[in-house]
Amino acid sequence: MPPLRIAILGAGPAGLTLARLLQLQTKPEQATITIYERDTGIDSRNQGGTLDLHPETGQYALKKAGLLEEFLKVARKEVAEMRVYDGTDGRLNFLLPASLEGSGQDRPEIDRVILRRMLVNSLQPDTIQWGHRISDITSQSHGGPGPYSINFSSPHDLSPVTADLVIGADGAFSKLRHLLTPIKPVYSGICMFDLMIPNADQTHPLVSQLTGEGLSFFLGGHKAIISQRNSRGVIRVYVSFRKEQGWIFGETFEGWEKDKEELMRKVEGCLDGYDEKMMQFVQAADPESIMPREIFAIPTDKYTFESKPGLTLLGDAAHLMSPFAGEGVNLAMADSADLADSITAYFSNLKGETRTNYGLLDDALNVFKMKMFKRAKPAGEESERNGMIAFGDNAVKNMSGKMGMWKEMMESGGKAWVGH
Ligand SMILES: Cc1cc2nc3c(=O)[nH]c(=O)nc-3n(C[C@H](O)[C@H](O)[C@H](O)COP(=O)(O)OP(=O)(O)OC[C@H]3O[C@@H](n4cnc5c(N)ncnc54)[C@H](O)[C@@H]3O)c2cc1C
């Protein structure tokens, strides 16, 4: 039988981890693995801040991928403190100290771009086709199973490619999802602006002092500023508030890049009611770093999709959730580990077929799908709850109360996590 042509859409954490695992777990005569990615390179756009990888998900996948040691060498193991301030008067309301036993030592942090580089470098040469923006996927068999054509909207002169198994790891607005489910991500009502303050200790000591050594939440008034220490002296700031959909991007989703200074002023204007000191988190940021986002999520009771031979989804493409539980990358990587195992099991179960056995492949993909959604649902629910706390009434009190519970659990020797 010719090798199964596996196309992975997207070189995010899900797609890259999956490609690495498939290259380790399958033989070249069984499968060819190609990633199609719209970015033109590893760091062609702002990849976002730091994230911690959890032992049972992100680290589990890295271990299977033979990359755990490399990760632990570059990750920051020191435990970050967490603070909750009242954004309206700038007062510290709660501090979760870094020194508490069990407060996260086994969840080291890594900058996203470093994680991406590590995964990309682990792949065989030419696995990733950079600069390939997918427009849609079509079946070549008129109602039957695959193979499928992957079509590109840029570069314009690119011919479609053929694949027997197409895996949507292309994030929130997956081009494959609509073939498997009519469910679309729903706007949460919250928009978020990602900003960076370089050399904060030297240039903006007040911002540095308020941020402390880890993560600070400035809450109240249905808004949030979250500031986070990153590597190389950078403080990353997420400013979020409730706004109607389209406020940032207008009708066309285009054009905001043209005047980033103006966008910064609009963001600052939306922090009305916040203490004057809080404005520094926007004023101190590099305007070039601004990255606006509308936060979308798939409702957790809609975490499912149809089985179609030769097609599947993972990561955000399958179970997009708001970022308020810090679980998305971890889940995406754990999904990759399970999907790689299911595809490997498919190859083990073949008995001399001369063509792709779509029935058997479908069985394997269904096993994966059940595991994936079982894991994702509680995390998605936690994200929803945390979002309600941060942007609801009495946010300062409620978030402090939640952290207070973690503190008590840690002090009594248990483990408490953001998201659990
Ligand atoms: C502000 C913010 C903070 C977050 N913080 C955390 C955190 O601390 N911890 C955590 O675990 N998670 C966090 N998350 C969630 C996390 O970012 C996602 O869950 C995770 O990136 C999902 O990985 P993925 O590979 O499924 O999708 P993505 O990371 O979205 O990757 C999809 C890839 O597909 C590519 N792509 C998309 N469309 C196309 C197309 N048409 N053609 C070709 N390529 C395409 C994209 O360029 C991208 O490279 C956060 C999210 C946000 C928004």
Side-chain angles (χ1 to χ4, degrees), residues 10 13-14 37-38 112 116 132 134 169-170 316 326-330:
E37 167 59 50
R38 67 182 172 190
R112 270 168 191 265
R116 196 182 208 201
H132 284 52
I134 298 143
D170 50 342
D316 277 7
E327 292 279 359
V329 168
N330 285 281

Side-chain angles (χ1 to χ4, degrees), residues 9-15 36-39 45 50-51 112 116 132-134 169-172 175 192 238 293 314-317 323 326-330 332:
L9 316 183
Y36 299 96
E37 167 59 50
R38 67 182 172 190
D39 289 350
R45 72 184 153 88
T50 62
L51 48 96
R112 270 168 191 265
R116 196 182 208 201
H132 284 52
R133 184 181 283 271
I134 298 143
D170 50 342
K175 295 291 181 194
M192 180 180 271
Y238 300 100
R293 291 194 176 86
L314 78 166
D316 277 7
E327 292 279 359
V329 168
N330 285 281

Side-chain angles (χ1 to χ4, degrees), residues 50 76 111 196-204 207-208 211-213 228-236 284:
T50 62
R76 290 185 293 282
D111 284 11
M196 279 197 282
I197 306 177
N199 302 318
D201 290 350
Q202 285 77 38
T203 57
H204 293 87
V207 165
S208 173
T211 301
E213 291 311 313
Q228 176 194 53
R229 264 200 198 269
N230 283 196
S231 58
R232 295 183 294 275
V234 171
I235 288 184
R236 189 170 286 265

